[in-house]
Amino acid sequence: MAYQSFEELEVWQRAGRLVVDIFKNFRACKEFTLKDQICRAALSIPSNIAEGAERGSARDFAHFLNIAKGSCGELRTQLYIARKLDLLTKGLFDRGVTESKEISSMLEGLRRSMLTRAAQKRST
């Protein structure tokens, strides 16, 4: 996969849109601890994609993609809790969970690609 910058990556773009949706939907939330944790988990996803891409090695990038993937799971867990606390409508919850699962899947594909690239460089 050839790219010039992380801004070109669809997974980074989608993760960025997810962050904006999360921040907007939790703007008025009075459960500050949960709100803060949800926002941090969401923000961590595109941030780790960007940080890994800027590290300059496929191995480092794969590591940060793995961290971003973990943040997807953390975010999904927090969305389940927010839904049980009636802090999200079913529609917003469903969209957030679906999008985080799709982003997680994209991250895994990109991570595997980076690991393959790193292995190929080591063998040459």
Side-chain angles (χ1 to χ4, degrees):
M1 146 169 241
Y3 65 94
Q4 295 296 316
S5 68
F6 63 85
E7 292 96 340
E8 295 174 19
L9 297 171
E10 182 184 352
V11 68
W12 179 83
Q13 294 169 8
R14 287 179 67 172
R17 288 190 298 268
L18 179 60
V19 172
V20 171
D21 289 344
I22 293 293
F23 270 70
K24 285 180 178 179
N25 287 303
F26 282 90
R27 186 175 285 150
C29 180
K30 302 289 188 222
E31 299 293 336
F32 296 110
T33 303
L34 183 59
K35 172 185 173 177
D36 182 60
Q37 196 64 30
I38 287 172
C39 290
R40 286 173 181 265
L43 188 57
S44 175
I45 301 165
S47 298
N48 276 293
I49 296 167
E51 185 171 353
E54 291 292 309
R55 292 287 176 130
S57 82
R59 191 175 178 103
D60 281 346
F61 193 12
H63 172 73
F64 280 89
L65 292 171
N66 200 43
I67 294 169
K69 191 172 183 315
S71 294
C72 280
E74 181 181 356
L75 174 62
R76 249 186 345 271
T77 296
Q78 294 156 359
L79 291 174
Y80 281 103
I81 292 166
R83 178 67 184 133
K84 288 179 182 178
L85 293 171
D86 292 323
L87 299 174
L88 281 176
T89 64
K90 182 171 178 3
L92 291 173
F93 167 78
D94 289 343
R95 281 196 307 276
V97 168
T98 298
E99 186 64 2
S100 68
K101 283 181 178 181
E102 290 177 10
I103 289 169
S104 184
S105 179
M106 293 172 76
L107 289 167
E108 181 59 21
L110 184 55
R111 186 185 75 80
R112 286 182 183 175
S113 173
M114 290 297 111
L115 289 174
T116 300
R117 181 179 292 177
Q120 289 171 344
K121 281 190 174 186
R122 281 194 306 270
S123 69
T124 56

